[in-house]
Amino acid sequence: MSEPIHTVAVVGTGVIGASWAAHFLAHGLRVVATDPAEGAEGRLRAAVDSHWRWLHEQGRVRERSYVGLHFDADLERAVGDAQFVQENGPEQMDVKQTLFARLDAATSPQVILATSSSGLLISAIQAACIYPQRVVVGHPVNPPHLLPLVEVIGGKAASAEAIARAMAFYTEVGKKPIHLQVEVKGHLVNRLQAALWQEMIYLVSTGIASATQVDAAMRYAIGPRWAAQGPFINLHLSGGNGGLRRVLEGLGPAMQSWWRDLGHVTLTPEIIDRVVASTEHLIAGEDAEHLAARRDAAVARILEAALDRRNSENDRAT
């Protein structure tokens, strides 16, 4: 039986790492963070302060201030007492392999080493380790202190025990982990997003639609339905009494013609300029901090409604 996790090491304290740190602190864990960048500790504490204020305002934490955050620029020292490691370094395979070789050497073989990598294959990262059986993907959705999903992937080498322990730990800290048994570039979330990104950039870059129109289509049509019940259930509901089969059999030829007509995009400087200009018109000079604050508040309300509905459904089922 593995020991309870009280101390988590957060390796890399950028946007994702700082959000993870706030989330772990909010669930009563001791966090030891590390990052070699100059000024990293100050930026981390400022980000966690901001996240904590938001968590308190949302009623997700009772305390007005947090305890348990420590920083050590020395990687090996920072992870030495950790019972779980959440890595958030650059999305570059050579950097990940070097970093995980060090983490592997500096921690007990029983410690789970999880990477927040948004799309790299975990088997290649495991190859740099002496104890690859405890190395997994633990990919969150940004920001981790708000959005509950975590993708857990074991690749070729992770043991069933390590996967089970990672799934259990993420569940204990309020996450909704999903275990993907097949590794693929981009995992699940980013592959789904990438398909949409490609088409929306194509539409804007060709002048078919503006960023304002694309965002409106998602906010006031697709997004609310998908947030409520997901795309497969919504597609099933489109078929009425016939359900998904009726949709696929009846609308199938049209759907396939749409798929064949989807755009293919190469991000040339000209396309980037056009898409950025359309987006800048959409945001009308608003800074990222205010945009993110509004997004987080709205997403929190959506999640609260969705989770309340699911809990009600479970209560009725029991």
Side-chain angles (χ1 to χ4, degrees), residues 126-306:
Q126 293 165 340
C129 300
I130 297 173
Y131 302 104
Q133 68 273 13
R134 45 72 172 267
V135 178
V136 301
V137 168
H139 174 239
V141 180
N142 186 39
H145 69 276
L146 170 58
L147 289 163
L149 188 81
V150 179
E151 298 174 303
V152 176
I153 308 169
K156 295 178 180 178
S159 67
E161 179 192 4
I163 293 168
R165 286 172 57 204
M167 294 284 288
F169 170 67
Y170 286 130
T171 300
E172 287 168 6
V173 295
K175 290 296 186 180
K176 299 289 185 184
I178 57 173
H179 174 212
L180 304 180
Q181 298 186 4
V182 178
E183 62 177 334
V184 62
K185 287 191 294 183
H187 316 322
L188 172 61
V189 171
N190 280 332
R191 288 182 73 91
L192 292 172
Q193 290 188 131
L196 185 58
W197 293 337
Q198 175 171 279
E199 184 61 14
M200 73 188 209
I201 289 173
Y202 169 77
L203 292 170
V204 172
S205 67
T206 55
I208 294 173
S210 66
T212 299
Q213 292 169 327
V214 170
D215 275 27
M218 289 301 300
R219 291 184 67 189
Y220 306 123
I222 300 170
R225 293 193 306 181
W226 284 10
Q229 290 187 301
F232 269 113
I233 290 180
N234 273 282
L235 198 57
H236 172 73
L237 292 174
S238 297
N241 291 334
L244 181 59
R245 179 171 298 280
R246 181 183 179 191
V247 174
L248 296 181
E249 292 178 349
L251 194 59
M255 291 171 67
Q256 291 178 90
S257 73
W258 300 339
W259 292 340
R260 287 190 292 268
D261 196 52
L262 293 176
H264 297 278
V265 177
T266 300
L267 291 176
T268 63
E270 294 76 19
I271 285 179
I272 291 173
D273 287 345
R274 184 162 192 169
V275 171
V276 168
S278 188
T279 304
E280 287 177 343
H281 177 75
L282 166 63
I283 64 178
E286 289 196 74
D287 65 56
E289 183 177 351
H290 288 114
L291 288 169
R294 286 212 306 275
R295 175 203 63 189
D296 291 355
V299 169
R301 292 193 296 271
I302 292 169
L303 283 173
E304 183 179 6

